[in-house]
């Protein structure tokens, strides 16, 4: 899906060219400066599982926001989208969730539009960790939604 | 050393215990795996370990030793090495507000799992990519297969109709001839009924041929070996009766330098010639003449350019019709409106002919003199059989 790459792009401004599976969880941190406040964002990069039900319960603890990432170039990565989102909403009610279709760099404009049409749920953002397209926006929007949520 | 002692010694190297307060203050750490003491010299435990910081509100929810927080497979970069730990947090029973952080090093065990998972994910991605890339190929193959079946069906249908048409015409002409020889009223009545039925059947066959042509025009072209004179002769034979009835002479002339064995779409060529002849018979008067000539225009390597001429000495065609047929742009919806527009219905054969010629990248021209006749010239290219001797 490119979750680790998205985080690497956001936190370290770099794109890892080799693919490495995330087995469990990897934690990163970045202070996000917003207009009204700055936010200490601790990002839990959770390994992709066939379904969210396989993710250990404890990984959800203390979550204030969720970025759900799928791979636009692999339909199998968004087949479970509706079930996954419903599962997360059940686990973390009232927590903002942002859906992200990643790897736009692998699709031409026409194919991207075709893929958008077959998505079970419209994604909030279409990103490319490789080029950095919309990556910053995703995290900033989530930060704003999280602050809004606790007000 | 006892077995238990050996066990403790072994496991001690693989585990670390850290005691901390709910505010993130370090109380004690054995530092077997991570030098927590050093990392927290300048900051609190929560600042040094973001994971613990994000969990701080949950520690106070821990009550006793059975109530633990367990985090399997925590990937951790430390001292230029990638570690995989299991973290377990629980409350220290004998001290208020003190928590235990148990770190277990399972890097070696998880490394195997990591490799398996990595291989699995990579093969899934490769397989999906392979499938996605092969979709157009599979579709293309299916389309070709379906077209072949459609083509076979249509060819069969067309050939069958041609085959039925000839004997039907023979029956009709025999009935007409018999009518001249039978003088009884009863016999004449029977023959009249017979010729009417055959005439109706003949008209239906014409309609079927036109319909099959419409379908064939939509299917892909074939490249098969055929004998040119045979194809042309078969087409002319279908007009035997008409020529007899109208007293029209049909003459076929294939120039001697024209290669007779050709590679191409014989059915398409038949359709073109059939339609041009049909048009000529429509225009020619009783006692008229239709000439079918084939000339060689060019021959190079494996390809010949042939010119097919169908010339009649009939009344000629109206300029309006010719203008519509050959000078207006293709009208994609024209065929669909056959039943609504009499023009297209009356000239469907020529519309299909133009379409077929264009699809083969050929040319079609018409010379028309009112009152003197019409000449259609179609130029098409064909492949020649290798090492062919004329």
């Amino acid at each position: 899906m490119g979750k680790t790459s998205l985080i690497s792009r956001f936190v370290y401004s770099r794109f890892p060219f080799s693919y490495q599976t995330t087995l469990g969880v990897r934690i990163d941190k970045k202070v996000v400066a917003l207009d009204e406040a700055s936010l200490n964002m601790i990002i839990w990069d959770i390994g992709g599982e066939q379904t969210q039900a396989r993710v250990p319960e404890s990984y959800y603890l203390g979550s204030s926001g969720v970025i759900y990432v799928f791979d636009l170039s692999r339909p199998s990565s968004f087949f479970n989208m509706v079930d996954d989102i419903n599962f997360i909403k059940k686990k973390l009610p009232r927590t903002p969730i942002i859906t992200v279709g990643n790897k736009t760099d692998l699709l031409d404009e026409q194919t991207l539009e075709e893929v958008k049409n077959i998505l079970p749920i419209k994604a909030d953002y279409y990103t490319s960790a490789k080029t950095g397209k919309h990556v910053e926006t995703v995290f900033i929007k989530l930060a704003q939604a999280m602050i809004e949520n606790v007000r | 050393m006892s077995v238990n002692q050996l066990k403790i010694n072994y496991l001690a190297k693989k585990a670390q215990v850290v005691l901390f307060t709910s505010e993130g203050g370090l109380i004690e750490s054995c530092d077997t795996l991570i030098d927590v003491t050093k990392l927290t010299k300048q900051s609190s435990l929560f600042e040094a370990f973001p994971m613990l910081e994000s969990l701080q509100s949950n520690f106070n929810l821990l009550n006793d030793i059975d109530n633990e927080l367990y985090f399997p497979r925590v990937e951790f970069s430390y001292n230029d090495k990638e570690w995989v730990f299991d973290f377990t947090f629980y409350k220290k029973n004998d001290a208020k507000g003190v928590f235990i952080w148990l770190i277990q090093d399972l890097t070696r065990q998880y490394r195997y799992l990591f490799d398996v998972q990595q291989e699995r994910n990579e093969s899934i991605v490769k397989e999906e990519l392979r499938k996605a890339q092969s979709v157009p190929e599979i579709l293309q193959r299916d389309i070709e297969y379906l077209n072949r079946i459609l083509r076979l069906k249509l060819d069969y249908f067309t050939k069958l109709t041609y085959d039925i048409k000839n004997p039907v015409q023979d029956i009709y002409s025999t009935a007409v001839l018999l009518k001249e020889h039978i003088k009884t009223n009863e016999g004449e009545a029977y023959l009249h009924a017979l010729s009417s039925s055959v005439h109706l059947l003949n008209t239906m066959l014409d309609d079927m041929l036109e319909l099959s042509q419409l379908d064939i025009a939509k299917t892909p072209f074939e490249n098969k070996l055929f004998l040119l004179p045979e194809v042309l002769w078969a087409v002319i034979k279908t007009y035997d009766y008409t020529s007899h009835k109208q007293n029209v002479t049909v003459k076929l002339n294939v120039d001697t330098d024209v290669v007779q064995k050709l590679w191409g779409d014989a059915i398409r060529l038949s359709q073109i010639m059939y339609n041009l002849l049909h048009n000529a018979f429509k225009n020619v008067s009783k006692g008229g003449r239709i000439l079918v000539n084939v000339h060689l225009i060019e021959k190079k390597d494996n390809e010949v350019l042939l010119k097919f001429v169908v010339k009649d000495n009939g009344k000629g065609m109206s300029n309006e019709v010719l203008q519509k047929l050959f000078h207006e742009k293709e009208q994609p919806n024209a065929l669909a409106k056959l039943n609504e527009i009499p023009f297209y219905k009356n000239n469907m054969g020529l519309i299909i002919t133009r379409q077929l010629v264009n699809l083969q990248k050929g040319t079609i021209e018409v010379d028309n003199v009112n009152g003197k006749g019409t000449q259609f010239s179609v130029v098409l290219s064909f492949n020649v059989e290798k090492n062919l001797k004329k």
Side-chain angles (χ1 to χ4, degrees):
Chain A
M1 327 291 168
K3 297 178 292 295
T4 307
S5 301
L6 276 174
I7 293 164
S8 177
R9 169 64 69 187
F10 176 64
V11 179
Y12 306 106
S13 302
R14 64 171 182 247
F15 175 74
F17 277 88
S18 63
Y19 166 69
Q20 252 204 320
T21 301
T22 306
L23 203 58
V25 63
R26 180 177 282 276
I27 288 118
D28 273 298
K29 179 177 173 176
K30 182 167 176 169
V31 177
V32 180
L34 301 172
D35 288 343
E36 67 275 30
S38 69
L39 189 80
N40 197 11
M41 214 175 206
I42 298 163
I43 307 159
W44 287 48
D45 173 14
I46 296 171
E49 295 288 355
Q50 291 292 329
T51 68
Q52 283 300 307
R54 278 186 183 274
V55 174
E57 287 266 330
S58 54
Y59 287 3
Y60 290 95
L61 281 174
S63 300
S64 310
V66 175
I67 298 173
Y68 181 90
V69 186
F70 60 90
D71 182 344
L72 286 162
S73 70
R74 287 173 48 214
S76 68
S77 78
F78 49 78
F79 283 160
N80 285 329
M81 205 170 157
V82 175
D83 287 346
D84 281 351
I85 301 275
N86 286 338
F87 185 88
I88 296 166
K89 278 182 177 166
K90 225 174 183 178
K91 284 268 171 220
L92 304 167
R94 296 184 301 278
T95 303
I97 302 170
I98 287 183
T99 50
V100 172
N102 190 34
K103 302 192 186 176
T104 55
D105 54 283
L106 293 181
L107 309 177
D108 58 39
E109 217 166 284
Q110 194 194 333
T111 315
L112 177 61
E113 288 310 310
E114 284 167 6
V115 172
K116 281 181 188 176
N117 286 335
I118 60 163
L119 291 178
I121 303 172
K122 195 175 172 292
D124 295 310
Y125 293 96
Y126 299 95
T127 60
S128 166
K130 191 174 180 181
T131 65
K133 187 183 170 187
H134 293 155
V135 176
E136 188 90 8
T137 316
V138 167
F139 286 92
I140 299 290
K141 287 285 170 188
L142 183 69
Q144 287 169 341
M146 281 164 19
I147 287 178
E148 197 61 39
N149 204 32
V150 292
R151 271 179 186 161
Chain B
M1 198 180 284
S2 71
V3 174
N4 270 340
Q5 195 57 50
L6 284 168
K7 184 173 77 180
I8 289 164
N9 283 353
Y10 174 77
L11 291 175
K13 289 182 222 158
K14 298 281 172 190
Q16 177 172 343
V17 174
V18 181
L19 299 180
F20 65 98
T21 65
S22 55
E23 286 79 34
L26 177 69
I27 297 170
E28 195 183 344
S29 168
C30 64
D31 292 343
T32 311
L33 302 167
I34 308 167
D35 196 345
V36 174
T37 312
K38 191 177 166 190
L39 288 171
T40 53
K41 239 176 196 165
Q42 307 277 318
S43 57
S44 77
L45 191 70
F46 291 162
E47 282 169 321
F49 295 92
M51 181 180 176
L52 273 67
E53 186 183 353
S54 63
L55 289 171
Q56 57 185 302
S57 60
N58 294 285
F59 294 130
N60 282 328
L61 302 174
L62 293 169
N63 290 322
D64 51 54
I65 197 84
D66 294 327
N67 189 359
E68 61 175 30
L69 291 177
Y70 173 59
F71 296 89
R73 305 185 303 280
V74 179
E75 294 172 41
F76 196 83
S77 302
Y78 177 67
N79 270 353
D80 296 327
K81 191 184 163 186
E82 291 298 318
W83 303 77
V84 188
F85 297 133
D86 274 8
F87 288 171
T88 313
F89 299 94
Y90 42 92
K91 192 175 178 293
K92 194 164 187 293
N93 274 346
D94 53 1
K96 200 183 171 197
V98 177
F99 300 93
I100 300 164
W101 173 19
L102 174 66
I103 305 169
Q104 287 172 274
D105 175 20
L106 296 165
T107 307
R108 201 169 66 182
Q109 290 86 334
Y110 284 136
R111 181 54 54 191
Y112 170 75
L113 203 61
F114 175 87
D115 290 343
V116 171
Q117 182 85 346
Q118 177 95 358
E119 275 174 23
R120 191 191 70 109
N121 288 356
E122 279 173 0
S123 69
I124 287 173
V125 171
K126 271 183 197 160
E127 179 60 17
E128 279 187 36
L129 198 67
R130 192 194 61 76
K131 270 187 188 164
Q133 283 168 342
S134 64
V135 164
E137 253 173 58
I138 293 167
L139 274 177
Q140 185 62 33
R141 220 167 41 224
D142 288 351
I143 289 168
E144 278 169 15
Y145 177 68
L146 288 172
N147 277 335
R148 270 205 307 278
I149 292 175
L150 180 66
R151 179 68 202 220
L152 274 173
K153 196 188 89 182
L154 289 170
D155 280 1
Y156 177 73
F157 180 73
T158 310
K159 279 173 190 160
L160 188 69
T161 316
Y162 273 119
D163 288 347
I164 297 170
K165 199 169 159 52
N166 286 333
V168 166
Q169 274 174 337
D170 286 346
I171 296 167
Y172 185 53
S173 51
T174 312
V176 171
L177 290 171
L178 266 174
K179 210 171 164 185
E180 289 168 12
H181 292 90
I182 290 179
K183 299 297 175 196
T184 65
N185 287 344
E186 207 176 30
E188 270 189 33
Y190 284 141
L191 281 170
H192 181 72
L194 176 67
S195 56
S196 299
S197 302
V198 177
H199 182 67
L200 181 67
L201 191 59
N202 207 20
T203 313
M204 285 162 73
L205 285 169
D206 280 341
D207 287 349
M208 282 165 75
L209 273 176
E210 283 192 341
L211 276 175
S212 67
Q213 285 191 50
L214 265 180
D215 282 337
I216 286 182
K218 293 177 202 157
T219 61
F221 283 80
E222 279 193 339
N223 192 28
K224 280 186 179 169
L225 187 66
F226 67 93
L227 271 173
L228 181 64
E230 199 176 271
V231 169
L232 295 174
W233 191 244
V235 175
I236 290 171
K237 280 293 281 177
T238 60
Y239 287 99
D240 261 8
Y241 172 68
T242 316
S243 63
H244 174 75
K245 192 182 156 194
Q246 293 185 14
N247 192 24
V248 171
T249 312
V250 182
K251 202 175 168 195
L252 170 67
N253 174 53
V254 180
D255 286 355
T256 49
D257 57 350
V258 171
V259 180
Q260 299 196 344
K261 280 185 179 177
L262 298 170
W263 286 85
D265 197 320
I267 293 287
R268 284 328 205 297
L269 179 63
S270 302
Q271 282 177 260
I272 291 168
M273 298 310 286
Y274 180 85
N275 290 334
L276 292 179
L277 274 171
H278 185 76
N279 186 64
F281 272 106
K282 255 176 30 183
N283 295 322
V284 82
S285 313
K286 267 200 167 181
R289 229 159 62 113
I290 298 172
L291 298 175
V292 179
N293 294 325
V294 186
H295 310 291
L296 175 71
I297 304 281
E298 197 185 347
K299 184 182 178 195
K300 53 175 182 183
D301 302 327
N302 194 32
E303 195 180 305
V304 284
L305 209 59
L306 300 181
K307 186 178 191 176
F308 300 85
V309 179
V310 178
K311 187 179 178 181
D312 69 72
N313 62 348
K315 60 187 186 211
M317 295 171 73
S318 87
N319 285 334
E320 190 198 349
V321 169
L322 289 172
Q323 180 73 22
K324 257 190 162 165
L325 282 173
F326 293 101
H327 297 289
E328 283 184 3
K329 282 189 172 178
E330 290 269 5
Q331 300 188 26
N333 296 322
L335 291 178
K337 291 180 177 173
L338 276 175
N339 293 326
E340 301 162 34
I341 307 167
F343 167 79
Y344 290 108
K345 184 158 177 61
N346 291 335
N347 296 287
M348 188 168 76
L350 289 177
I351 294 169
I352 292 168
T353 300
R354 183 190 166 190
Q355 198 184 345
L356 288 171
V357 172
N358 288 344
L359 284 170
Q360 291 179 85
K361 296 188 172 55
T363 59
I364 181 164
E365 283 175 3
V366 59
D367 289 319
N368 181 62
V369 180
N370 271 335
K372 287 198 173 177
T374 310
Q375 175 178 306
F376 279 94
S377 307
V378 170
V379 176
L380 295 170
S381 70
F382 295 91
N383 287 331
V384 182
E385 193 185 14
K386 276 179 190 171
N387 307 321
L388 179 80
K389 283 181 187 162
K390 278 187 298 178

